[in-house]
Amino acid sequence: MNSRFRASVRDGNRFVLLGEGHDFFSRMLAAIDGSQRYVLAEFYLVESGQVADRFFAALTRAAARGVRVCALFDAVGARGLGEADRTRLRTGHVDLAFFNAAGWWALPRLLLRDHRKLLIVDGAVGFTGGIGLADMFSPNAQPTATGWTASLRSRAPF
């Protein structure tokens, strides 16, 4: 491979596989609460509810401390995000943006959604995985016929 396309290798990096929803959400919230410089959040599925409330509270607390907070949500995946929550984030000094809006002009790319789920805090810790900011991903959710929450159940509340 051409050397200009190779990523540099750095020592000292590590990863932890978080298999329980409780671990995933609580560690993400703790990272946001411990942020000092910036929080970058990108999520596909975002819906108003208890999970979003916890995250939005943490994001606005961080912004109130002077942390730069940027949230990028998929316009289709965030259809369930109410206007009150959008306003809450914006008035809480969270830079909120939506990408890949649906419309007749966007038909060629409408199905080309990336479904990314990322949280980066201070360039030191990052999270990625198959969760969204929606109650269906709550560790307290009951399994449904679709099986979406079955693997995320936890006995402990987050």
Side-chain angles (χ1 to χ4, degrees):
M1 176 187 285
N2 188 318
S3 63
R4 69 181 189 173
F5 295 113
R6 273 189 251 169
S8 61
V9 177
R10 298 182 183 150
D11 291 332
N13 293 320
R14 65 184 176 88
F15 75 92
V16 176
L17 181 62
L18 304 173
E20 292 283 332
H22 174 275
D23 290 341
F24 210 86
F25 284 129
S26 62
R27 287 185 187 224
M28 290 173 78
L29 290 165
I32 295 168
D33 284 335
S35 63
Q36 297 177 5
R37 296 180 311 157
Y38 64 86
V39 175
L40 307 176
E42 181 178 357
F43 289 96
Y44 171 75
L45 192 57
V46 182
E47 296 177 352
S48 294
Q50 293 177 359
V51 169
D53 282 345
R54 301 257 334 247
F55 276 86
F56 296 167
L59 293 172
T60 56
R61 280 193 309 269
R65 291 192 313 273
V67 173
R68 172 98 193 262
V69 180
C70 301
L72 180 63
F73 301 151
D74 183 273
V76 171
R79 286 184 321 242
L81 181 61
E83 192 57 42
D85 282 329
R86 294 167 191 245
T87 300
R88 174 183 175 191
L89 289 169
R90 288 182 177 124
T91 59
H93 303 288
V94 172
D95 292 327
L96 178 61
F98 295 88
F99 67 94
N100 220 357
W104 63 267
W105 64 90
L107 286 176
R109 62 180 170 79
L110 188 58
L111 298 176
L112 299 175
R113 315 208 83 73
D114 64 22
H115 297 258
R116 283 188 292 227
K117 301 111 178 144
L118 302 168
L119 180 70
I120 310 297
V121 179
D122 294 337
V125 64
F127 298 85
T128 187
I131 56 94
L133 302 184
D135 288 348
M136 73 173 69
F137 297 103
S138 170
N140 301 322
Q142 298 301 310
T144 64
T146 64
W148 277 65
T149 59
S151 65
L152 295 172
R153 288 182 62 204
S154 173
R155 288 179 288 285
F158 76 96

